[in-house]
Amino acid sequence: MDILGSFALLLAFLAAVYAVVAGIVGILTRRLLLTKSARNAGMAVFVLVTIAVACLEYFFFTNNFSMAYVAEHSNRALPAYYKFAALWAGQEGSLLLWTWLLSGYVFFVLFLHRKRHPELMPYAGVVMASVQTFFLTLNNFVATPFQVIASADGAGVMHLAKLAEGRGLNPLLQYPEMVIHPPMLYLGYTGFTVPFAFALGALLGRYPGEKWIHITRRWTMIAWCFQSIGILLGAHWAYAVLGWGGYWAWDPVENASLLPWITGTAFLHSVMMQEKRGMMKVWNVWLVFTTFMLCILGTLLTRSGVVSSVHAFAQSSIGTWFVVFLAITFTVCFAAYWKNRDYLRSDNQLDSLVSRESSFLFNNLILLAACFAVLWGTLFPVLSEWVQGSKISVGAPFFNKVNVPIALFLMLLTGVGPLLAWRKTSFDALMRNFAWPLGGGVLAGVVALIFGFRDAYSLVCLILCVFVTLTIASEFFRGARVISARDGTNLLTSIGELTMRNTRRYGGYIVHFGMVLVFIGIAGTPFNKDIQKDLGIGDTLRIGPYTILCQNFDQVSNNNYQSDRASLEVFRNGKSVMMLFPERRLFLASGITETMVAVQSSPLRDLYVVYAGRSPESGRPAVHAYLLPLVKWIWFGGIVVVLGTILALLPNRRTVLVLRPATERSWTGAIAEVSAAMGPVASRVEGND
Amino acid sequence: MTNTVRALKNTRRSLRLFFASSSVRFALLAMVAALLLAPISLNTASAQVLPRAKSIAKRVMCMCGGCQDSAGMCSHPGGTFSGPCETARAMQKDLDLRVARSESDDAILTAYVQQYGPTVLVEPPNKGFDLLAWVMPILVPLIALVLVWQAVRGWRHKAVLAPAGGPPIDPRLLARVEREAGNEPARENDE
């Protein structure tokens, strides 16, 4: 099986190389047969890499400890779902996962578009196959997952060796999220290859118009959605496993995942400018290029060890390969742009500064500012060491100081943008659309102040969140009212009808609402409380409205780990409200101890308890309790973001046009009728998105 | 009435005798002093020393080399103790002592930089080359804003100069629309 896996990977590499070469020759010689053959080779890569992945999984499930990768990352007692997830526990496997997911995307893109866009597809196919070739080079020649363990006998002859037991999976990875978090994140990273390939392909082939954007819009949204899920799951993993009461530490790996997400978000907005107005063609192409390159840069940063991270489980000297690939990618992109820049000439016209177009411009500017600030902070220690010879730290306070104002400004634009019309918005329309949301936001701020909400950033965040929520609600309400008046349906049905008629627009609003919920969750951070105390049986600890009584310490064990468990009874107002069981697990294969946090989550606050072990000073069991307001809103907001994105991916429901015989009617009558049906909306020029 | 006056006089005399005693006076003085000083000493123990030390601990990195946390937030998951490591605890204790000695925040941070180097600070120092860390995230968006502003100005100018797009409108239709909308019929040179 190891030979089958290795052989499949090698064949996949050859197929990818063939897809590149045959694709280029096919384009240059205009031989259709050759480009078709290249396409088939690109699709075959997925089949071959799938065989390799299946082989490696087979080794994990059969405890084949003659395979170095399996012995390093698994053991017999490891539960089946973690054996499955052990595939991406190290460098070699995670790179194989990357290649597999990428080849999956390539397969589906080539298959679904096999009969369409005959001029563009060969170019896009060559770009995708080139990226595949790079990763398959790593899989085959730099970090092969199919290395076997061998030992030399007395005569120096090498023999296969098989270990009796593996070293086990890193305990930090033995958490349900780790079964789905890396594949989700990688689906995001690899998914951005598709718009990149089409953008570069369209540029190289001088493919006319905005077609490449129409083709890749859904692919970009799919990648963005997976990236969002991956980031959220990663944050939840950090929250639930690392036991520090936080979910985002501006760690380099976290930042690396955020960077392409930010530029991807910018692209999803600015792409509308090109679709609606034919503007910002150069900008959009470079946004896609940058997003792809940031995916590679993030991988370089975290795998090369250039910056250290608690999330990095696969570091090695592989960085040089990524540097070279990044340099080649940039050179190709720049050369393609320079050679074909006249093709990207935009018909940029702006009728008014107060318009949807300018709000998108500012949105992109702010998103790029956030991206730069995160990248700059992540790389600055390296830059500082290079210039000054001494390393400095750039910790979470720096990122918070720089990014919180940017994020708040972005939230403001999230509310303002959708209320502005394409081309121009009149002052009256501006006042009419903003009065209620703004009033609601200010009122919420006043109420919050009265109730003792004193943190400035949190207060501004709350005001903006209410403002944005009301603007979104007003958008749904206005549209639904028109449908309701015309069809005689109730408002709720009308909202459903409205949403399904323009899923992209209203799905986008739901995504915005999800982000509002995430921001509300983050706004609770300044009000976090924590206390650490030695707790014997019968001792109590007070935090916020809760009193925690230590009832017992016991041990729970299975084949995989031994667990020390604290039984804590939680009282509120003298009444017992819950039991919490934080644990410390000693994983037998690796001999490493990890904590399992106990969390009681509610919309208002999370009670988060860590059994820290025996205090080095007193020798008594220590419990660290945190009271974390509004954290649950972040996870809920994340779910709303994902649902909104899925909705935006759905095709619009088509309205049925019923024709009736034309009658001679006066224009004024018709205008009055339409105005009556549309109400105040009629006075506003609206775009579709 | 006479009885009441007599009782009051007796009470006053007893009180005078009571307060005349030196031991009682000393005890009272001590009580008052204790009451006055108690808040100060309590304040010194809990409200000033520990929170300030904790706040400074969040501004310096834990120098154990095994984590990326501040000394105040150090929380090594797993191991023998899932909380502040030995290095972080030592740094916290040292900060407590320094704060108790009334050293200023700046003096403490300077001493730490001398001891561990600039890497001990969780944020880049705002001087010398490291000032760039703070300046660039502001400067770059500002430059970008200026560029966007220039571009937008150009685009607006273009919008004014650009001829009206779309197919030509039939003058008869336009005139009819204007007439039915209650406006004056469009004149030839207005089109």
Side-chain angles (χ1 to χ4, degrees):
Chain A
M1 283 293 272
D2 57 316
I3 293 173
L4 177 65
S6 299
F7 197 60
L9 265 185
L10 195 61
L11 272 181
F13 170 73
L14 293 174
V17 171
Y18 175 78
V20 175
V21 176
I24 293 172
V25 175
I27 290 167
L28 293 175
T29 59
R30 297 187 177 277
R31 290 176 66 182
L32 194 64
L33 205 65
L34 213 51
T35 53
K36 272 189 179 174
S37 169
R39 185 192 66 204
N40 292 340
M43 287 163 70
V45 170
F46 176 59
V47 179
L48 292 164
V49 179
T50 304
I51 293 171
V53 170
C55 286
L56 196 55
E57 285 292 5
Y58 175 78
F59 294 139
F60 273 111
F61 281 100
T62 53
N63 298 313
N64 189 335
F65 300 127
S66 64
M67 304 298 298
Y69 190 73
V70 177
E72 189 67 31
H73 299 289
S74 182
N75 61 302
R76 290 179 192 281
L78 194 68
Y81 42 92
Y82 290 135
K83 279 185 179 168
F84 171 73
L87 176 78
W88 47 84
Q91 177 85 278
E92 297 86 352
S94 57
L95 280 172
L96 182 63
L97 176 72
W98 188 296
T99 309
W100 185 46
L101 298 177
L102 174 65
S103 63
Y105 271 115
V106 174
F107 178 87
F108 284 107
V109 169
L110 293 176
F111 180 74
L112 293 173
H113 297 286
R114 66 191 182 285
K115 288 178 181 167
R116 286 178 282 176
H117 322 296
E119 302 88 11
L120 176 60
M121 284 311 293
Y123 287 95
V126 166
V127 177
M128 288 190 288
S130 305
V131 179
Q132 279 183 315
T133 304
F134 167 70
F135 280 99
L136 281 162
T137 305
L138 299 181
N139 295 139
N140 279 285
F141 310 113
V142 183
T144 175
F146 292 108
Q147 272 190 351
V148 290
I149 299 170
S151 59
D153 63 12
V157 181
M158 299 297 281
H159 293 281
L160 282 180
K162 186 173 183 176
L163 302 181
E165 178 61 294
R167 289 188 185 175
L169 182 64
N170 184 334
L172 285 174
L173 302 179
Q174 296 192 34
Y175 194 78
E177 256 102 335
M178 291 311 285
V179 181
I180 45 174
H181 156 60
M184 291 293 124
L185 201 60
Y186 282 23
L187 275 168
Y189 281 134
T190 53
F192 284 122
T193 308
V194 179
F196 168 74
F198 276 87
L200 188 56
L203 193 58
L204 288 168
R206 299 174 72 84
Y207 195 66
E210 275 72 53
K211 263 195 175 174
W212 73 269
I213 281 182
H214 296 304
I215 297 166
T216 58
R217 189 180 69 82
R218 283 203 164 82
W219 291 104
T220 312
M221 282 172 70
I222 289 169
W224 186 88
C225 185
F226 280 125
Q227 189 84 4
S228 308
I229 298 172
I231 290 171
L232 279 161
L233 286 174
H236 194 267
W237 170 81
Y239 182 67
V241 172
L242 296 182
W244 61 291
Y247 43 82
W248 194 266
W250 296 107
D251 178 276
V253 169
E254 295 169 354
N255 296 350
S257 67
L258 193 64
L259 293 170
W261 185 86
I262 295 174
T263 49
T265 309
F267 174 69
L268 284 174
H269 286 87
S270 71
V271 81
M272 283 184 259
M273 297 271 277
Q274 189 167 344
E275 285 178 290
K276 301 280 175 202
R277 304 288 313 274
M279 297 166 79
M280 296 173 77
K281 288 180 182 172
V282 176
W283 180 259
N284 282 329
V285 160
W286 274 103
L287 262 185
V288 174
F289 291 170
T290 308
T291 303
F292 176 74
M293 284 190 273
L294 284 172
C295 290
I296 303 298
L297 180 72
T299 317
L300 157 72
L301 289 179
T302 53
R303 286 173 189 271
S304 64
V306 171
V307 287
S308 48
S309 161
V310 290
H311 294 261
F313 298 99
Q315 288 186 3
S316 72
S317 57
I318 207 164
T320 315
W321 287 87
F322 282 94
V323 171
V324 172
F325 182 60
L326 205 56
I328 292 172
T329 306
F330 179 78
T331 309
V332 170
C333 289
F334 188 77
Y337 162 72
W338 195 253
K339 188 170 177 291
N340 300 306
R341 61 189 186 283
D342 58 316
Y343 151 79
L344 293 174
R345 193 162 291 151
S346 294
D347 189 22
N348 292 320
Q349 284 183 23
L350 198 69
D351 299 277
S352 166
L353 273 178
V354 189
S355 61
R356 183 78 64 93
E357 289 90 326
S358 60
S359 84
F360 277 136
L361 272 176
F362 279 106
N363 152 297
N364 266 240
L365 182 70
I366 298 299
L367 281 167
L368 267 287
C371 183
F372 175 78
V374 175
L375 184 64
W376 181 249
T378 308
L379 292 178
F380 197 77
V382 184
L383 185 69
S384 176
E385 190 175 15
W386 184 60
V387 173
Q388 303 186 110
S390 62
K391 204 164 189 170
I392 60 149
S393 307
V394 181
F398 169 84
F399 288 100
N400 289 335
K401 278 181 189 168
V402 172
N403 283 297
V404 169
I406 295 175
L408 291 177
F409 196 65
L410 201 59
M411 182 50 70
L412 174 71
L413 283 180
T414 308
V416 171
L419 292 184
L420 299 177
W422 288 101
R423 291 186 179 273
K424 191 175 184 176
T425 307
S426 69
F427 183 72
D428 285 349
L430 207 64
M431 290 303 291
R432 195 171 47 245
N433 296 332
F434 280 93
W436 280 106
L438 205 61
V442 172
L443 186 70
V446 172
V447 172
L449 260 178
I450 292 167
F451 280 93
F453 213 75
R454 291 289 186 270
D455 184 80
Y457 277 143
S458 292
L459 190 66
V460 173
C461 185
L462 180 77
I463 292 169
L464 290 173
C465 286
V466 173
F467 166 67
V468 175
T469 305
L470 291 177
T471 58
I472 294 168
S474 77
E475 279 294 285
F476 275 95
F477 179 70
R478 284 160 193 273
R481 204 170 56 169
V482 173
I483 291 177
S484 180
R486 196 198 56 201
D487 297 350
T489 51
N490 64 42
L491 206 62
L492 213 61
T493 313
S494 304
I495 287 175
E497 177 69 21
L498 178 79
T499 308
M500 295 316 293
R501 276 189 194 175
N502 195 340
T503 52
R504 186 178 175 189
R505 177 179 178 176
Y506 291 96
Y509 287 157
I510 292 172
V511 171
H512 284 182
F513 179 62
M515 289 311 297
V516 165
L517 298 179
V518 171
F519 270 60
I520 290 175
I522 295 169
T525 310
F527 307 100
N528 288 354
K529 288 178 186 169
D530 74 290
I531 182 168
Q532 184 166 317
K533 195 177 172 186
D534 296 348
L535 279 190
I537 294 171
D539 289 344
T540 59
L541 174 156
R542 277 188 68 84
I543 182 161
Y546 299 108
T547 303
I548 297 171
L549 169 70
C550 180
Q551 281 199 338
N552 192 21
F553 292 98
D554 60 359
Q555 288 199 326
V556 186
S557 299
N558 61 24
N559 290 337
N560 194 27
Y561 58 80
Q562 287 175 353
S563 173
D564 283 335
R565 192 174 70 163
S567 301
L568 307 172
E569 190 170 10
V570 182
F571 292 87
R572 189 174 180 182
N573 300 326
K575 283 184 183 173
S576 173
V577 286
M578 68 189 102
M579 287 293 297
L580 291 177
F581 302 98
E583 294 179 41
R584 288 173 56 76
R585 290 179 180 173
L586 170 65
F587 289 85
L588 301 172
S590 58
I592 298 173
T593 306
E594 290 299 343
T595 50
M596 287 301 287
V597 179
V599 185
Q600 172 61 35
S601 191
S602 73
L604 205 57
R605 62 176 79 87
D606 279 14
L607 178 61
Y608 179 103
V609 183
V610 183
Y611 173 30
R614 293 196 173 268
S615 164
E617 278 96 8
S618 65
R620 300 179 67 206
V623 169
H624 200 158
Y626 297 78
L627 206 60
L628 309 165
L630 307 176
V631 172
K632 200 168 191 171
W633 290 61
I634 297 172
W635 319 129
F636 184 63
I639 293 168
V640 174
V641 167
V642 172
L643 291 178
T645 315
I646 292 169
L647 181 67
L649 281 166
L650 296 176
N652 288 340
R653 184 187 288 167
R654 291 182 191 281
T655 49
V656 181
L657 190 66
V658 180
L659 298 174
R660 62 180 181 185
T663 50
E664 187 69 28
R665 298 167 64 207
S666 72
W667 279 91
T668 15
I671 291 167
E673 203 172 283
V674 171
S675 300
M678 294 188 77
V681 182
S683 57
R684 214 175 97 216
V685 181
E686 279 193 297
N688 287 328
D689 295 293
Chain B
M1 184 68 183
T2 334
N3 284 345
T4 312
V5 172
R6 196 179 298 136
L8 273 172
K9 277 182 181 172
N10 284 341
T11 311
R12 274 168 60 190
R13 193 183 306 127
S14 325
L15 282 171
R16 205 180 300 132
L17 283 169
F18 179 77
F19 284 113
S21 152
S22 61
S23 58
V24 171
R25 267 193 298 197
F26 179 77
L28 275 172
L29 200 65
M31 275 170 68
V32 170
L35 279 170
L36 285 171
L37 291 174
I40 296 168
S41 57
L42 279 175
N43 220 6
T44 315
S46 60
Q48 277 184 353
V49 177
L50 290 174
R52 214 187 113 210
K54 203 173 175 181
S55 136
I56 300 171
K58 286 178 183 171
R59 294 168 65 188
V60 293
M61 297 296 290
C62 168
M63 297 306 289
C64 71
C67 71
Q68 298 293 312
D69 296 320
S70 68
M73 299 285 284
C74 176
S75 165
H76 289 254
T80 50
F81 183 67
S82 298
C85 64
E86 207 173 317
T87 310
R89 287 200 304 276
M91 290 173 83
Q92 286 174 5
K93 273 183 190 169
D94 181 58
L95 287 168
D96 265 345
L97 286 172
R98 286 174 183 271
V99 169
R101 287 202 300 261
S102 300
E103 288 183 33
S104 70
D105 288 15
D106 283 346
I108 294 172
L109 293 177
T110 308
Y112 269 61
V113 170
Q114 279 172 357
Q115 188 176 346
Y116 297 106
T119 190
V120 76
L121 301 174
V122 294
E123 292 175 346
N126 53 3
K127 59 185 177 186
F129 177 79
D130 296 326
L131 186 63
L132 275 180
W134 296 100
V135 171
M136 292 297 276
I138 302 165
L139 194 65
V140 169
L142 280 179
I143 293 169
L145 184 69
V146 171
L147 292 175
V148 167
W149 186 258
Q150 289 292 330
V152 163
R153 278 184 61 191
W155 295 355
R156 285 194 71 196
H157 185 61
K158 217 165 152 185
V160 172
L161 293 177
I169 302 168
D170 182 357
R172 284 175 300 171
L173 177 64
L174 194 64
R176 186 180 159 198
V177 169
E178 294 282 359
R179 193 173 57 247
E180 293 192 5
N183 297 341
E184 287 293 308
R187 285 192 304 252
E188 191 104 345
N189 56 358
D190 286 342
E191 285 170 27

